């Protein structure tokens, strides 16, 4: 799928988690719901770090472009080193390493560890990166015609304000993990979810997605998981733009209302 659909699906997924938590009698503090949805929307773009033309490659100027080049080469190297007899030959790393459950867990776990051991500046950095990506994905039309600096300033300002809100007693810094020293440990959860939602979205397209790597399926270690061929669509097609994106908006709205006990 394309960047905007990925971000919308990520936000909708976290709002759905909020709705499930409310139904189970463990309503999220509203700052956790809002910040988590934004982080998940941003994280849903991150697996495309292996794609030099993806939305994320433009998000941070030369830095993100260079990072995409590095991740593409790394992913391709891992693919070549681990491919089995049934896996096809490739010329690049797109939809390989960064499109797996293992990558999602490692990145999410790494961000949780950084939030715990890195202190406030690490938390602000995690929020900044994912809020910039959320702006690029959710407000793609405005982001593409505005200055990168303005988007970065919006991300930095929002990160500072939202961290301040979360720090208030009862607002969610210690949500879910409430032992001393575990503040913001939950930040890794929307990051893992966003990456997995991205992978599931890509699995619906023609090429499929090797979500289960390194678990082999048949003769393939990089099995392109997905529904039957007739149910798949091309990225950017009318199915994505006219059906899935409106559906994500509706589901996100319903999930958010349910998470806040409005329905």
């Amino acid at each position: 799928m394309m960047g905007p659909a990925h971000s919308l699906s990520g936000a909708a997924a976290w709002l759905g988690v909020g709705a499930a938590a409310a139904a189970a009698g463990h309503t999220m503090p509203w700052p956790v719901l809002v910040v988590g949805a934004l982080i998940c929307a941003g994280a849903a773009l991150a697996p495309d770090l292996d794609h030099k033309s993806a939305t994320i490659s433009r998000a941070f100027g030369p830095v993100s472009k260079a990072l995409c080049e590095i991740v593409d080469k790394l992913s391709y190297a891992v693919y070549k080193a681990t491919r089995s007899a049934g896996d096809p030959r490739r010329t690049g790393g797109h939809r390989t390493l960064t499109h797996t459950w293992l990558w999602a867990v490692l990145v999410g776990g790494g961000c949780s560890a950084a939030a715990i051991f890195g202190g406030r500046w690490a938390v602000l950095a995690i929020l900044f990166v994912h809020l910039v990506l959320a702006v690029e994905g959710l407000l793609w039309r405005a982001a593409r015609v505005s200055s990168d600096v303005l988007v970065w300033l919006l991300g930095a300002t929002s990160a500072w304000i939202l961290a301040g809100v979360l720090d208030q007693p009862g607002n969610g810094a210690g949500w879910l993990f409430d032992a001393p020293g575990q503040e913001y440990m939950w930040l890794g959860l929307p990051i893992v979810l966003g990456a997995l939602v991205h992978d599931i979205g890509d699995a619906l397209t023609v090429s499929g997605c090797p979500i289960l790597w390194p678990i082999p399926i048949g003769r393939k270690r990089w099995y392109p998981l997905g529904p039957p061929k007739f149910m798949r669509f091309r990225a950017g097609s009318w199915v994505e733009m006219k059906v899935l994106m409106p559906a994500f908006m509706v589901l996100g709205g319903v999930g958010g209302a349910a998470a806040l006990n409005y329905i």
Side-chain angles (χ1 to χ4, degrees), residues 42-132:
L45 295 180
D48 276 344
L49 267 173
D50 61 6
H51 194 332
K52 291 174 283 188
S53 299
T55 302
I56 192 171
S57 72
R58 302 186 297 269
F60 300 96
V63 174
S64 52
K65 286 185 180 296
L67 184 58
C68 284
E69 292 272 2
I70 294 169
V71 173
D72 177 39
K73 289 179 170 59
L74 171 64
S75 299
Y76 182 48
V78 171
Y79 180 84
K80 286 199 303 179
T82 61
R83 64 182 287 267
S84 60
D87 293 312
R89 295 186 180 276
R90 301 177 59 100
T91 57
H94 182 47
R95 286 202 189 182
T96 55
L97 179 61
T98 62
H99 287 69
T100 65
W101 69 270
L102 183 58
W103 176 273
V105 171
L106 288 175
V107 172
C111 286
S112 285
I116 294 171
F117 298 110
R120 181 172 178 79
W121 288 108
V123 170
L124 289 172
I126 292 168
L127 290 176
F128 168 70
V129 168
H130 289 90
L131 289 173
V132 168

Side-chain angles (χ1 to χ4, degrees), residues 154 171 205 211 263:
L154 176 60
N171 274 5
T205 63
I211 303 171
I263 59 174

